[in-house]
């Protein structure tokens, strides 16, 4: 019988590649699953202070869904750095903009504990607007998020 809790060392971490298709998935539920994969909480040897999560590739970020009227009513504010420079954009404007993947990145970033470990873990998230990605050489394993729970997919 083991009396100590095993703690993973950075050299012992086994990182895998996961491919997630975001088409039709609800943004918040998708972000939770991605954040747990990046942190490594799905693994039995999870260690909170070590980057033991997987590399996550998300495709079709522009086709992510939101529930309710958030598409037009939820506004993200940002500041330009100049006096009176506060601006706001709706979720629809951000999805139709030049970088629709930033919406998923920010949602995941806000779900991971802040600090140096968060910045290290966020480097393992790759979000692409279309259905093509340059990570075929790593042979990412597809993860069907819609099959995990019926509420994950928006009809």
């Amino acid at each position: 019988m083991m009396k100590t809790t095993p703690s993973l060392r950075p050299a012992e971490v086994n990182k895998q590649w996961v491919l997630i298709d975001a088409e039709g998935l609800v943004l918040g539920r998708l972000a939770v699953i991605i954040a747990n994969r990046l942190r490594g909480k799905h693994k039995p040897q999870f260690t909170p202070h070590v980057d033991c999560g997987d590399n996550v590739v998300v495709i079709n970020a522009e086709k992510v869904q939101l529930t309710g009227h958030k598409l037009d009513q939820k506004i993200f504010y940002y500041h330009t750095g100049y006096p009176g420079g506060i601006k706001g954009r709706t979720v629809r404007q951000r999805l139709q903009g030049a970088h629709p993947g930033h919406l998923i990145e920010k949602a995941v970033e806000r779900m991971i504990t802040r600090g140096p470990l968060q910045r290290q873990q966020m480097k393992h998230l790759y979000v692409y607007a279309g259905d093509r990605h340059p990570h075929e050489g790593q042979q990412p394993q597809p993860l069907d998020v819609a099959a995990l729970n019926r509420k994950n997919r928006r009809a």
Side-chain angles (χ1 to χ4, degrees):
M1 220 159 132
M2 194 156 58
K3 301 272 185 183
T4 61
T5 302
S7 183
L8 212 62
R9 292 184 187 91
E12 299 170 347
V13 174
N14 183 17
K15 286 190 167 287
Q16 298 172 345
W17 285 79
V18 178
L19 176 68
I20 297 176
D21 187 2
E23 184 174 0
L25 298 179
V26 177
L27 176 64
R29 290 175 166 272
L30 174 65
V32 168
I33 292 168
I34 294 172
N36 284 337
R37 286 281 171 164
L38 286 175
R39 292 229 35 221
K41 295 187 91 167
H42 64 289
K43 296 182 178 181
Q45 65 271 21
F46 169 68
T47 308
H49 63 277
V50 176
D51 181 15
C52 56
D54 294 338
N55 295 298
V56 179
V57 179
V58 181
I59 58 173
N60 291 324
E62 61 194 10
K63 298 177 184 173
V64 74
Q65 300 288 319
L66 280 88
T67 57
H69 298 285
K70 294 185 199 120
L71 210 56
D72 295 314
Q73 291 179 355
K74 187 169 183 69
I75 299 173
F76 287 100
Y77 293 100
Y78 62 97
H79 200 280
T80 62
Y82 290 96
I86 191 161
K87 295 188 178 188
R89 298 179 74 200
T90 63
V91 174
R92 184 181 304 276
Q93 289 171 333
R94 290 189 71 163
L95 281 175
Q96 294 172 350
H99 304 287
H102 288 331
L103 195 66
I104 293 177
E105 289 175 7
K106 290 304 278 187
V108 172
E109 181 181 334
R110 291 170 180 156
M111 291 184 182
I112 297 178
T113 308
R114 312 298 192 273
L117 186 59
Q118 177 206 29
R119 291 186 289 275
Q120 185 180 358
Q121 289 168 342
M122 285 300 294
K123 290 178 184 175
H124 302 294
L125 174 63
Y126 306 94
V127 181
Y128 299 100
D131 59 350
R132 299 179 53 97
H133 63 90
H135 304 285
E136 289 296 332
Q138 284 76 25
Q139 299 172 346
Q141 300 298 317
L143 176 66
D144 191 9
V145 176
L148 297 176
N149 190 337
R150 66 177 181 80
K151 294 180 182 179
N152 290 351
R153 178 170 287 285
R154 176 98 169 151

